[in-house]
Amino acid sequence: MDLYSMRDMRQGMLKLDTAGTGQRVDATVVLLGGTGDLATRRVAPALWKLWLGGQLGRRFRLVGMARRELDDQGYRALLDAAIRASLPAGMPGDPARDGFLDRVSYLRGDVSDPAPYAALARLLADPSENALFYLACTPDRFGDAASRIAEAGLAGTNSGTAGWRRLAVEKPFGTDLPSARALNQLLHERYDEDDILRVDHYLGKEAVQNILYFRFYNAIFEPLWNRKHIERVEISATETGGIGDRGGYYDDSGAARDMLQNHLMQLFCLVAMEPPGDFSPEAVRDAKVRLLRSVPHAGPLEAPLDCVRGQYAQGTDGPAYLDEQRVRPGSTTETFVAARLTVDNWRWKGVPFILKTGKALAERACHIVVHFRKDDDTASEANRLLLSIQPDQRVVLTINAKTSGGDSSEREELVGALRDTAGAYPDAYERILGDALRGYSQLFIRFDEAEEAWRLVQPFLEYWKRHPSSGLALYPAGGNGPDLGALYRPDAGQDKAARGA
Ligand code: BG6
């Protein structure tokens, strides 16, 4: 594709802008797992903001389904508290007064059990009604919930409703490659792929979407975006604080399933994929899948060399992982993981991509650092490009400049702040839900993306299963995490290939 005639691409890109606005959407949102952390802390506040922003129509309703003994009033009180707690300090908001809570109701039941779906069918008796079924339950229930919804004729290929019916599935999508494939198969037997929205909320972040704008709206960078000029790329999402009360979920998951397979892999795709033919959802997802397929997965011998894992011990930031609630005694679940990927294509051959994520670290930050190659003929330092996603949203290019009044050079930063971060743009879940309700699929994961990402993580999972405690580095909570020196090993052959020699 000719990068310099980007009309089609621009037209496609504009879709990203229009998704967040437009006419009001009338739909019922059914939150399965409606009392959980995700539903109350992320989804409900995002829906409330859409409501406040006038994006939801008069027929909007929110139905929470969960096992907890609650009535409508109790559920409204739960969401009210959660929404208020989600507001940045000092920001006013009253979901009771603005009419949002009047639209909320509760259905008590187990999402795996057919009974609550019969009650739900009575609520959704009008076939012209639009509905989004949001699976915010624990991942082991996704298959059951999706099946019960389809069996009750509420959604799916056989439902025959006039209104649209969509299924949003939160990550982790499966727990490994075989289970992801099985879940995809189960969903495809009951739903059209177009009606399945696999959610990765990182794609809803403005600064993540900006990666595409940065790469494809700044033609000056494209000639540099390859192995000849880039030495390595680091993609990092670190968090402060331990797992809190999420031990029940996290101990079965760990950092690789919780963050690496999804959020970090998506960032990797956006940074490294080839330019798509256009910016239609399918073309972008095709480009991501092509990239993932170009990554050789680690063999049994490389697996331990290409990843580092760790678990937090007691430190300045809190107790040890093993002392957290609902963590199994002696658990070897990783709370930190870093992996080295390479891409077998012309652009990237020999360039390591280091993906890193962890809990209870010194800093909460998510960024991508592109390290350009050093010019061997001068004493200058290598240039570096930082794409910062959080806490601030910036692009920083580090250059060398003359020291004022001197004869040497010093490092300077060219900073482009994306936007004020004080809530002036939609948060990730607001964007994701807005798009789900409007049927824009660009920010959702296609089944093959999920499977290809699992293919890359699978060798690590298998290695750890065979060697549960091997290489599990303990790091103090609040520190910098395990040493990653092994991932930065020089590889003469690869470096040579990278320079195109
Ligand atoms: C979630 C993970 O998907 O992302 C959490 O399950 C993690 O463990 C969270 O804390 C991080 O999201 P954000 O938007 O706060 O960076």
Side-chain angles (χ1 to χ4, degrees), residues 197-210:
L197 305 169
R198 294 176 194 80
V199 175
D200 182 318
H201 79 277
Y202 266 52
L203 294 182
K205 292 180 190 273
E206 293 278 297
V208 172
Q209 291 157 28
N210 185 55

Side-chain angles (χ1 to χ4, degrees), residues 171 201-202 205 239 246 258 263 359 364 390:
K171 58 144 276 273
H201 79 277
Y202 266 52
K205 292 180 190 273
E239 296 181 273
R246 294 175 74 215
D258 188 48
H263 305 327
K359 301 266 185 209
R364 176 176 184 261
Q390 56 194 33

Side-chain angles (χ1 to χ4, degrees), residues 341-352:
L341 302 181
T342 53
V343 186
D344 219 349
N345 66 12
W346 177 87
R347 189 185 289 270
W348 296 119
K349 195 159 184 63
V351 178

